[in-house]
Amino acid sequence: MSDWREDLRKLLAPGRLSTRPADLDAAAADESTLPGRRPDAVVWPESTEEVATVVRFACARGIPVTPRGAGTSLEGNPIPLEGGIVVDFARMRSILELEPGDLTVRVEPGVVYAELNAALRHHGLFFPPHPGGSADTATVGGMLANNASGIYALGYGATRDYVRAVTVVVGTGEVVRLGSPCRKTSSGYHLVGLLVGSEGTLGLVTEITLALAPLPRSRKQAAFVFADEQKATAALSEMLRYGLDLAAAEFLDRRSVRALGSFLGKPFPQAALLLLELHGIPALVEETASSAESLAAEHGGEAAEGPESLWAAREHVTRAIQATRPGGRMVRADLALPVSRVPEMVERAYALAQETGLELFAFGHLGLGIVHLLAPLGPGDSREGAERLKDRLVEEALSRRGSVSGEHGLGFGNRKYAAREHGPSLALMRAIKSVFDPKGILNPGKLWE
């Protein structure tokens, strides 16, 4: 083994670099069930300058560098496929500057989503994109890397809509500041937009200026049960067509609701579930809730009791589905479709799963057209069969003008579909990558094969 790790250690402050097996193992995987890969070293920087030192060193020696947030990603995005250095941002978690009058905040990438919003709440503000069940662990840097959307993206937009400016270390080790805290600018290319969703393949972001939103004056949660999934998805499509102002709209199929009831030990209704959240002034919220109930009824939906408890349970859905096959793995498709095509996609997905003999669970951010299709595997089940099912699900989504990934990214798990979705434009992406990272050291092996 080369002694480059000791050379790098000498350039950093004490305690910044580790080669301990336990630390390497912790950086080897994410929350997916994709195979992990140990890095050769883990570094915990505490400043932009230290990140730049690491990347300059790696660039000079051709060593791979993989950035890491909390590891809550689901497509192998931070797995260091070629070893090298994992740069873990756990120690860069400060709120650097808050400007309530401008509705902006400048943060380091390791700030945890829930902790940021807890601090903003005192000023009547919040950062709307919500990473679902990982809100108490997901970092802002990781959300930027994957353009996280989540529960409130229907009413407020995704992470990309809130990133105003960044400080980034590109693949040569150069520190570049992109964007502006201004609300609107027409100056030059939108380079910040390239970084959001790039999964650390273009640069390591060390500071982020985010736009914020005022906390809603009133909020109301609602839940409706339907006899089947098609009625639930059709009802929401109708609500959106009529222009109902919804902050969030979540869908769970009957199997997911049943799994949640078993996992949490609660008597949930044995029906497809549509969860809504409404924000705004009190009178408008109540009017929208009434309209939503009327439209749901037209599709056979009935208001469920205790919507707040059902919303709280929603955060456990992935764990509940995994618990149906203890000790097993999970194959997932994270698809995005035009909202009007979601009902037929869900129906087709069930038919394909039945052909393969696998049990498929469907849920997601239905108002955005994002549908998560999960096939849990027991310890003795073949992953190959589930992967073939995923291939067919992706093809079905693309044939309906959909996308391979609604929010989890391409990473390692979805990279084989990149050429199928993007075609000739993939060459442009490769060219952009070479400008930011000429030696190809940043998170290699991701986004495309």
Side-chain angles (χ1 to χ4, degrees), residues 280-304:
I281 60 175
L284 182 58
V285 165
E286 292 302 325
E287 180 182 342
T288 303
S290 177
S291 298
E293 186 168 358
S294 296
L295 288 171
E298 289 182 12
H299 292 269
E302 297 180 0

Side-chain angles (χ1 to χ4, degrees), residues 330-354:
M330 186 91 77
V331 172
R332 69 186 77 231
D334 159 45
L335 306 176
L337 296 111
V339 175
S340 65
R341 310 301 294 271
V342 171
E344 64 187 78
M345 181 66 216
V346 171
E347 187 174 2
R348 180 61 177 150
Y350 290 143
L352 290 174
Q354 188 172 13

Side-chain angles (χ1 to χ4, degrees), residues 189-210:
Y189 294 150
H190 194 244
L191 297 178
V192 171
L194 286 175
L195 287 171
V196 181
S198 66
E199 301 182 32
T201 61
L202 300 181
L204 277 64
V205 174
T206 60
E207 291 185 14
I208 309 162
T209 299
L210 298 169

Side-chain angles (χ1 to χ4, degrees), residues 7 68 73 89 95 148 151 168 175 182 187 192 201 204 210 227 240 270 349 352 367 369 371 395 442 447:
D7 293 339
R68 182 179 179 87
S73 47
F89 285 101
I95 298 174
I151 293 171
V168 59
V175 178
C182 297
S187 177
V192 171
T201 61
L204 277 64
L210 298 169
L240 296 176
Q270 298 302 299
L352 290 174
V371 181
E395 285 298 322
L442 300 182
L447 300 185

